[in-house]
Amino acid sequence: MSSADPSAPRLDLLRRATAHLAPVVPLLTELGSLFEQAGHELALVGGPVRDAFLGRTSPDLDFTTSASPEEILAVVKPWADTHWDIGRDFGTIGARRGDHTVEITTYRADAYDGQTRKPVVAFGDNLEDDLVRRDFTVNAMALRLPGMEFVDPYAGLPDLAAKVLRTPGPPEVSFGDDPLRMMRACRFVAQLGFEVAPQVRSAMKAMAASIQIVSAERVRDELTKLLMAPAPRPGLRLLVDTGLAEQVLPELPALQLEIDEHHRHKDVYEHSLTVLDQAIALEGPADGPAESVPGPDLVLRLAALLHDIGKPATRRFESGGGVSFHHHEVVGAKLATKRLKALRYDKDTVKAVARLIELHLRFHGYGGGQWTDSAVRRYVTDAGPLLQRLHRLTRSDSTTRNARKAALLSRTYDDLETRIERLQEEEELAAVRPELNGNEIAEVLGIPPGPVLGQAYKHLLEVRLDRGLIGKEAAAQELRTWWATRSATNGS
């Protein structure tokens, strides 16, 4: 790498970046030479360059070039093990060689016309103009190849050192080109621990409503990346403080309920952010077993963030100065379902998040451990495959500053988990089902398959949950008793 008159800190950063890129330098120089021989410019750009300075490894290598998509293909086809042109209309060609995936894009600018949800693509003809069109200065740094010349026309390296997000040009122009960049700023705050420059924050506030022209799918993907970051809280704060959350996730700022001197209750917004922090702390390692809820876990994080969104709609002021939120878990589950569907999350994620929100208060009926074994079985079967996430969500929901109360809640949940483990060992609760299968039920009652058989099966399942394992003979007798009562009631 070369640069004109760099300062000592900058030299140090350059050395570190060079060392970090060392494993891919042969590939960079080889690919750069191929493009150079074909008469084209090529530069490593964006995230891989930024991450090299941060000591992070990017999974993919992003390049920009003076070559057209057709010219890119002509160069990479003989070189790559495989290639694809799904992004050809946007100037991007993808390829894989060995363990490395590369994306090569023609110098370009993405811009919205202010009305449609799809960006308009325009190709450029030089690196500096391509860089000025990028989202932030820390992503507008490049390495010209094959010579590994460092290019930083918009002072991205000083901003990287200062951990600040600025735009290469006026932020109003950058966000006008692509409003999703405002959400990306929130994501980088969460992922990288950066702060946004004052002028960037001001532009985000002024232009928040323009995020509406971006497709729900792109907004969803950016929100997901933010939530899956190591520390989502600062990014979520920025999302709320700039007004972006009001546009894409209005249930979150709605948690900032006004608290007056007569009606005291916990700050629901701050509580929800703390619950998210605590849930993340309870995730298992990324390579851990499924029962550890390996992190980052999107379902758990969404449920933690949204678990109380039913409170604003259910808040009631009580005569003694207190505040109640009756059935907020039911209302919250419905609100979460509606919002996540609007953001185009998949059905399984929507269903799982809503179910966790619906169940997150169930533990509080446990009291001092008075639940019967039947109630514990129902807790487990109602949670189903979400049980381990429910454990973590419930524990995370304790944000009291009262140490004695917090310790009591923790011990009580410890006791519930112990009881669950004992019953699971004894009764295989994870696969709880009636002690007679469908064929056996049909044989005992002498009935064919159909709705009545389904009712009989459901009755035996209730017996199983209420009484545990009672043996097949007792289950058959219970079934005959139910059948006799049913027949008498129906007059048959």
Side-chain angles (χ1 to χ4, degrees):
M1 300 181 193
S2 64
S3 181
D5 192 29
S7 64
R10 178 166 169 159
L11 268 176
D12 182 57
L13 282 170
L14 287 168
R15 291 191 189 101
R16 285 167 50 194
T18 303
H20 196 77
L21 286 171
V24 295
V25 166
L27 180 143
L28 299 180
T29 54
E30 179 184 4
L31 193 56
S33 296
L34 290 174
F35 272 80
E36 185 178 58
Q37 291 164 16
H40 309 303
E41 297 176 3
L42 184 72
L44 183 69
V45 71
V49 179
R50 178 202 69 219
D51 287 346
F53 285 108
L54 293 172
R56 293 159 44 106
T57 299
S58 291
D60 301 325
L61 297 172
D62 297 326
F63 299 85
T64 187
T65 179
S66 59
S68 68
E70 292 74 20
E71 291 168 334
I72 297 172
L73 278 171
V75 175
V76 302
K77 273 185 177 180
W79 171 83
D81 297 330
T82 183
H83 69 277
W84 53 93
D85 62 357
I86 192 170
R88 187 170 185 162
D89 291 343
F90 294 92
T92 299
I93 302 297
R96 183 177 300 110
R97 183 177 171 89
D99 296 331
H100 301 292
T101 299
V102 304
E103 285 197 345
I104 307 171
T105 303
T106 305
Y107 295 151
R108 69 177 187 179
D110 285 350
Y112 284 82
D113 60 12
Q115 297 175 349
T116 64
R117 289 174 177 264
K118 293 184 178 180
V120 178
V121 177
F123 295 136
D125 59 10
N126 68 84
L127 178 58
E128 283 70 18
D129 285 352
D130 180 271
L131 294 177
V132 77
R133 294 162 182 155
R134 296 187 175 263
D135 52 7
F136 302 105
T137 61
V138 296
N139 292 330
M141 302 182 292
L143 291 177
R144 287 188 187 274
L145 303 172
M148 302 291 286
E149 175 195 354
F150 180 55
V151 181
D152 185 18
Y154 306 105
L157 193 55
D159 287 343
L160 191 75
K163 293 189 175 183
V164 63
L165 290 175
R166 303 182 196 275
T167 52
E172 295 80 8
V173 174
S174 180
F175 299 152
D177 282 348
D178 185 355
L180 191 68
R181 290 172 173 174
M182 295 184 288
M183 286 194 67
R184 202 171 296 147
C186 300
R187 189 239 297 181
F188 286 142
V189 165
Q191 283 183 333
L192 305 175
F194 284 20
E195 293 184 359
V196 294
Q199 62 270 35
V200 171
R201 181 183 290 266
S202 296
M204 290 170 69
K205 288 182 177 180
M207 302 179 68
S210 67
I211 195 71
Q212 292 293 341
I213 73 168
V214 181
S215 70
E217 289 82 0
R218 293 185 73 212
V219 169
R220 173 204 63 207
D221 291 347
E222 206 58 54
L223 177 63
T224 296
K225 290 174 184 176
L226 193 167
L227 285 172
M228 301 289 268
R233 187 173 189 148
L236 291 168
R237 281 195 186 282
L238 183 61
L239 199 72
V240 170
D241 293 347
T242 55
L244 280 166
E246 188 65 43
Q247 305 294 325
V248 301
L249 192 64
E251 294 79 8
L252 184 57
L255 293 175
Q256 295 175 308
L257 299 175
E258 182 179 349
I259 302 175
D260 63 44
E261 60 191 62
H262 303 295
H263 301 98
R264 297 183 179 87
H265 61 81
K266 190 178 297 182
D267 184 324
V268 184
Y269 171 65
E270 292 296 335
H271 164 74
S272 297
L273 295 180
T274 299
V275 171
L276 175 60
D277 287 342
Q278 295 183 166
I280 290 171
L282 292 176
E283 291 175 339
D287 58 351
E291 59 268 23
S292 72
V293 186
D297 187 89
L298 180 63
V299 168
L300 176 61
R301 294 185 182 203
L302 279 168
L305 181 65
L306 304 178
H307 75 285
D308 274 348
I309 60 172
K311 281 191 171 181
T314 58
R315 181 169 63 162
R316 299 290 182 270
F317 296 120
E318 306 295 345
S319 57
V323 178
S324 65
F325 303 96
H326 295 307
H327 305 301
H328 76 268
E329 72 281 12
V330 177
V331 173
K334 292 178 179 178
L335 289 174
T337 297
K338 183 178 180 181
R339 176 56 51 197
L340 295 179
K341 283 184 176 179
L343 287 169
R344 305 291 193 270
Y345 277 98
D346 64 273
K347 291 181 180 179
D348 290 343
T349 297
V350 174
K351 185 177 179 180
V353 172
R355 187 61 167 158
L356 285 172
I357 293 172
E358 185 180 1
L359 293 174
H360 84 272
L361 288 183
R362 181 76 66 86
F363 160 71
H364 294 284
Y366 188 69
Q370 299 94 335
W371 275 3
T372 61
D373 282 353
S374 170
V376 175
R377 291 187 198 100
R378 290 182 184 278
Y379 186 80
V380 174
T381 54
D382 286 350
L386 298 172
L387 181 62
Q388 293 302 326
R389 289 187 176 103
L390 182 59
H391 285 337
R392 285 154 179 79
L393 177 60
T394 303
R395 287 185 180 277
S396 301
D397 197 23
S398 173
T399 60
T400 178
R401 295 180 181 177
N402 184 317
R404 280 187 64 187
K405 184 177 180 181
L408 177 60
L409 284 170
S410 181
R411 286 196 302 271
T412 304
Y413 205 84
D414 287 344
D415 178 67
L416 175 58
E417 285 202 56
T418 299
R419 289 185 64 187
I420 288 173
E421 289 173 5
R422 176 177 58 79
L423 284 171
Q424 284 178 322
E425 289 176 2
E426 294 174 356
E427 305 180 17
E428 298 184 10
L429 288 185
V432 66
R433 54 179 57 88
E435 291 183 77
L436 301 180
N437 62 32
N439 292 332
E440 291 168 328
I441 292 171
E443 184 177 345
V444 169
L445 299 181
I447 59 175
V452 175
L453 182 60
Q455 293 171 18
Y457 185 93
K458 185 175 181 180
H459 173 72
L460 279 189
L461 179 59
E462 292 294 318
V463 172
R464 171 78 168 79
L465 290 171
D466 285 337
R467 296 166 58 185
L469 295 167
I470 59 176
K472 287 199 171 190
E473 289 187 13
Q477 184 55 49
E478 178 63 39
L479 190 61
R480 295 187 188 96
T481 301
W482 171 80
W483 181 253
T485 303
R486 181 184 181 281
S487 298
T489 301
N490 293 337
S492 58

